[in-house]
Amino acid sequence: MRKQHLFGASLLALLGAAQAADLVVHEWGTITTIHAADGTAAGELNRIDEADVLPKFVHRYEPETTRYDVKRFTGKRPNVPGRPDVNMRLETPVIYFHPPPNQKYTAPIDITVRFRGGVLNEFYPDAGASVGVDTDRVSNKLRAGILAEWNGDVLNNYVIGTLKWKGLRLHDTVVAPLTDSEVWLAPREVNSVSVFNPEAGEGEQYLFYRGVAHLDALLKTKLTRGQLQLATPDNLAWLESAQAIIPNIWFADVRADGSIAFRTQPAVKLKQEGAGKELARLKRFSAADYTDAAPLRGSIKKALIAQGLFADEAEAMLNTWKASYFQKPGLRVFYIVPREWTDYFLPLELSVPARVTRVIVGRIDLK
């Protein structure tokens, strides 16, 4: 009887391990920067338009050191001055879960995501939020001074925002919050299982979070009347390998009437010794270049799928960003962010084995 019990327990353990190993996790999101014609990055990006405010049920976190000083707020709000050192928005990363087909996934899941150089301050379902200093990288002198704990004054590469979800459960369906927000509803149109936080009593089709940071785009830009110049950024501290590849770049212009012109740039290589090196030149557009959004949308969708997203996930991402990507007038650059950058600045940890795909689109609005 005892041997049977041990055999049964061992079998269950093996089945559980196999189940966990077969968990597929997919994530997509956007990092947004704004560049002047000479390439200077704009700050104050935590001041947003009223239309970009998320539903009220989304959880918001403001660090204690910035909570009572509107000039130091890190949260994205319409009616704040905006922090000059916030030059990047991390926008709508969502995480989907795909268990093995025809199996009930019962293992609880802990997930931790960190943002180097920034603060993660909006999320759903509820999570434990914090911000601190990377003491491993701070010198002894600085560790003994103002950077021993983050005082809210300056965002930089030593600051790390953290979110922790504990004991998440996967379900076929959950009661998701009611909303008429298109940007919240669009990511639900994916054939994944729902995720539930039992402690908070909250569930959704996906995990959601976003934040702000003081980080450079992965491309330097210079805009002239005739062309856009792209170059390697000056700071490649995140690059540990010999090179990183940006596999896709799109230069696009959206007119007020909805017509769009765009050009694609083949893959470029970022190398440590090539900081500031010119990568490409793309011509500005003529009247004959403009058409509707379908070609640009189709080109980006193809690239998202090539990076590992399922087709419905790529479609959900493009629907979520339809207004900002394809309808808001202006010149902009889109690019696929190398996984090495994502894992350095936005490390993701799961308590269970999983096959993880992460696809981040960089967006630079050109002013």
Side-chain angles (χ1 to χ4, degrees):
M1 195 70 172
R2 174 69 172 170
K3 289 182 179 180
Q4 286 180 328
H5 174 75
L6 288 174
F7 176 78
S10 299
L11 180 60
L12 288 173
L14 287 171
L15 289 174
Q19 179 192 67
D22 287 335
L23 179 65
V24 172
V25 176
H26 283 186
E27 178 186 41
W28 55 253
T30 293
I31 53 172
T32 298
T33 52
I34 298 175
H35 289 185
D38 65 358
T40 301
E44 303 178 353
L45 297 195
N46 60 311
R47 186 177 65 240
I48 60 175
D49 295 335
E50 192 70 45
D52 296 325
V53 176
L54 294 173
K56 291 183 178 179
F57 58 78
V58 175
H59 297 281
R60 290 162 173 85
Y61 165 72
E62 188 67 47
E64 189 73 27
T65 52
T66 60
R67 190 173 300 168
Y68 306 107
D69 184 350
V70 68
K71 294 181 180 179
R72 301 202 300 174
F73 279 172
T74 63
K76 297 176 184 175
R77 306 182 188 184
N79 302 315
V80 295
R83 289 184 60 122
D85 54 1
V86 171
N87 63 354
M88 177 181 285
R89 290 196 293 256
L90 173 67
E91 302 185 287
T92 18
V94 299
I95 301 176
Y96 296 109
F97 300 88
H98 302 276
N102 305 316
Q103 292 187 34
K104 186 175 180 64
Y105 193 96
T106 58
I109 305 173
D110 298 340
I111 295 180
T112 299
V113 61
R114 295 180 173 87
F115 195 16
R116 181 183 297 280
V119 179
L120 297 170
N121 45 28
E122 292 178 293
F123 43 91
Y124 193 88
D126 200 9
S130 63
V131 62
V133 173
D134 183 0
T135 54
D136 291 338
R137 300 184 70 251
V138 176
S139 68
N140 291 332
K141 180 178 179 181
L142 289 175
R143 191 180 298 120
I146 61 171
L147 283 181
E149 294 181 359
W150 190 55
N151 62 11
D153 283 348
V154 179
L155 279 174
N156 56 31
N157 202 33
Y158 297 116
V159 178
I160 297 182
T162 301
L163 287 178
K164 293 185 177 183
W165 288 273
K166 290 187 175 294
L168 298 175
R169 299 283 182 168
L170 303 185
H171 295 287
D172 291 336
T173 58
V174 299
V175 178
L178 295 175
T179 181
D180 58 2
S181 170
E182 292 186 11
V183 297
W184 194 268
L185 294 173
R188 289 181 180 173
E189 300 301 315
V190 168
N191 186 27
S192 61
V193 299
S194 301
V195 59
F196 184 70
N197 181 336
E199 183 176 347
E202 297 174 342
E204 184 49 272
Q205 190 70 27
Y206 47 84
L207 282 188
F208 164 87
Y209 65 97
R210 72 180 190 177
V212 298
H214 181 71
L215 293 174
D216 294 330
L218 277 77
L219 293 168
K220 293 179 67 174
T221 63
K222 184 177 181 180
L223 187 64
T224 68
R225 294 185 63 183
Q227 64 185 1
L228 170 69
Q229 299 175 20
L230 300 176
T232 302
D234 294 329
N235 186 352
L236 291 173
W238 55 273
L239 183 57
E240 296 181 353
S241 56
Q243 63 183 27
I245 296 175
I246 298 179
N248 301 90
I249 299 173
W250 300 264
F251 175 38
D253 184 26
V254 181
R255 286 178 164 174
D257 63 4
S259 60
I260 297 178
F262 76 99
R263 304 193 193 285
T264 59
Q265 167 63 36
V268 298
K269 297 177 181 179
L270 305 181
K271 299 180 180 180
Q272 286 283 5
E273 67 274 14
K277 179 182 177 181
E278 183 175 299
L279 296 170
R281 297 190 179 199
L282 298 170
K283 290 175 57 178
R284 298 283 291 263
F285 306 102
S286 66
D289 293 324
Y290 289 85
T291 181
D292 60 29
L296 175 58
R297 182 186 175 106
S299 179
I300 297 177
K301 181 176 180 179
K302 182 178 179 181
L304 295 175
I305 294 173
Q307 291 298 309
L309 292 184
F310 296 142
D312 59 352
E313 295 169 335
E315 188 72 15
M317 180 179 188
L318 295 174
N319 287 338
T320 300
W321 286 103
K322 178 174 62 175
S324 296
Y325 278 15
F326 309 119
Q327 295 176 349
K328 184 178 181 179
L331 285 166
R332 57 187 55 100
V333 175
F334 302 105
Y335 57 95
I336 299 294
V337 175
R339 177 69 180 265
E340 188 171 350
W341 184 98
T342 304
D343 289 342
Y344 179 85
F345 284 106
L346 202 66
L348 179 68
E349 300 174 12
L350 285 83
S351 62
V352 297
R355 300 197 299 273
V356 179
T357 296
R358 312 182 76 192
V359 183
I360 303 295
V361 172
R363 168 185 158 198
I364 306 171
D365 285 350
L366 304 170
K367 300 297 185 183

